[in-house]
């Protein structure tokens, strides 16, 4: 099974993002962009890839123990952008951040856990974001201009905040209509730790 660790979103935040995504779908209709269904939006913390059952069980157990040291927190969802840049867009994204730096810490812990369980090291740096769409082929000149204008228009968009009290281990299966995600386990963040560190 293809697996990954992720943070899922509060429904009200997901709905706000879905409104902008629908606008992008409409203005960029006919362009080779695969848009992510709003219900499948998530923030990936560590992609594991194809994972045998025994290895999946091991990484789940180790991560579950680590989650006891992670305190609940909030993430802010804001702005639109693309990787690698507007001249050669491959991924359209919504930005994510948290003042306490919890996302980066948890992603770093999950990277260490994945390596200890035999997964290959992740070579790319961690840049918290939600993938809205993937560009499958070169956009037309008009499509590039339209996308650049939309990204500029929504560069400072505020989609709200989402509380995070669990990290989810997810399974992914490729279907004709796009990937289908299935929750495997919820790693509950320690509420005792939140109470201990709250002012």
């Amino acid at each position: 099974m293809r697996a990954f660790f992720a943070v899922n979103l509060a429904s009200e935040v997901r709905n706000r993002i879905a409104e902008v995504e629908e606008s992008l779908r409409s203005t960029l209709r006919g362009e080779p962009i695969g848009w992510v269904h709003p219900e499948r939006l998530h923030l990936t913390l560590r992609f594991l890839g194809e994972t045998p059952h025994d290895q999946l069980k091991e990484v789940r157990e180790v991560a579950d123990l680590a989650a006891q040291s992670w305190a609940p927190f909030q993430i802010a969802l804001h702005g639109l952008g693309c990787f690698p840049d507007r001249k050669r867009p491959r991924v359209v994204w919504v930005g994510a951040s948290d003042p306490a730096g919890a996302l980066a810490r948890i992603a770093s812990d999950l990277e260490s856990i994945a390596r200890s369980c035999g997964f290959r090291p992740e070579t790319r740096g961690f840049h918290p974001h939600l993938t809205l769409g993937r560009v499958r082929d070169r956009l037309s000149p008009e499509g590039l201009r339209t996308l650049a204008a939309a990204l500029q228009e929504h560069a400072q968009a505020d989609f709200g905040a989402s509380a995070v009290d669990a990290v989810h281990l997810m399974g992914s299966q490729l279907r004709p209509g796009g990937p289908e995600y299935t929750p495997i386990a919820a790693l509950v963040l320690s509420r005792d730790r939140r109470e201990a560190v709250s002012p």
Side-chain angles (χ1 to χ4, degrees):
M1 175 180 288
R2 289 163 56 90
F4 60 94
F5 288 102
V7 166
N8 292 319
L9 303 178
S11 58
E12 57 269 23
V13 173
R14 192 188 306 272
N15 291 339
R16 292 188 195 118
I17 295 172
E19 291 177 6
V20 172
E21 182 180 349
E22 182 55 38
S23 174
L24 291 173
R25 281 176 182 264
S26 178
T27 58
L28 289 159
R29 193 177 307 278
E31 296 292 339
I33 303 176
W35 298 100
V36 177
H37 191 283
E39 291 187 1
R40 297 175 184 153
L41 289 172
H42 61 273
L43 192 157
T44 300
L45 293 169
R46 196 358 169 131
F47 183 72
L48 301 175
E50 294 288 347
T51 309
H53 176 76
D54 290 347
Q55 192 177 24
L56 190 64
K57 182 176 183 289
E58 180 186 9
V59 75
R60 168 184 173 176
E61 291 173 349
V62 178
D64 198 28
L65 286 174
Q68 296 174 22
S69 70
W70 302 335
F73 62 101
Q74 285 200 335
I75 55 173
L77 289 306
H78 49 80
L80 294 186
C82 65
F83 295 136
D85 56 52
R86 294 182 184 181
K87 292 182 179 179
R88 298 169 298 150
R90 303 303 302 165
V91 172
V92 180
W93 50 257
V94 171
S97 63
D98 69 293
L103 282 171
R105 181 201 163 192
I106 293 173
S108 177
D109 286 354
L110 288 172
E111 175 63 21
S112 297
I113 289 166
R115 293 186 187 196
S116 72
C117 293
F119 292 89
R120 292 182 178 179
E122 175 58 73
T123 57
R124 295 172 296 182
F126 177 64
H127 302 286
H129 67 279
L130 310 176
T131 296
L132 273 190
R134 295 179 176 85
V135 180
R136 295 187 294 250
D137 201 351
R138 184 172 297 180
L139 300 184
S140 69
E142 179 60 28
L144 280 173
R145 288 191 291 269
T146 300
L147 177 59
L151 296 181
Q152 181 64 35
E153 178 185 355
H154 298 288
Q156 303 301 323
D158 180 4
F159 298 107
S162 186
V164 180
D165 56 14
V167 168
H168 291 84
L169 177 58
M170 306 289 291
S172 172
Q173 291 183 306
L174 298 178
R175 305 291 191 192
E180 181 178 297
Y181 302 136
T182 304
I184 298 172
L187 313 180
V188 179
L189 278 56
S190 172
R191 296 186 183 278
D192 291 341
R193 181 169 175 79
R194 177 179 62 185
E195 291 165 2
V197 301
S198 295

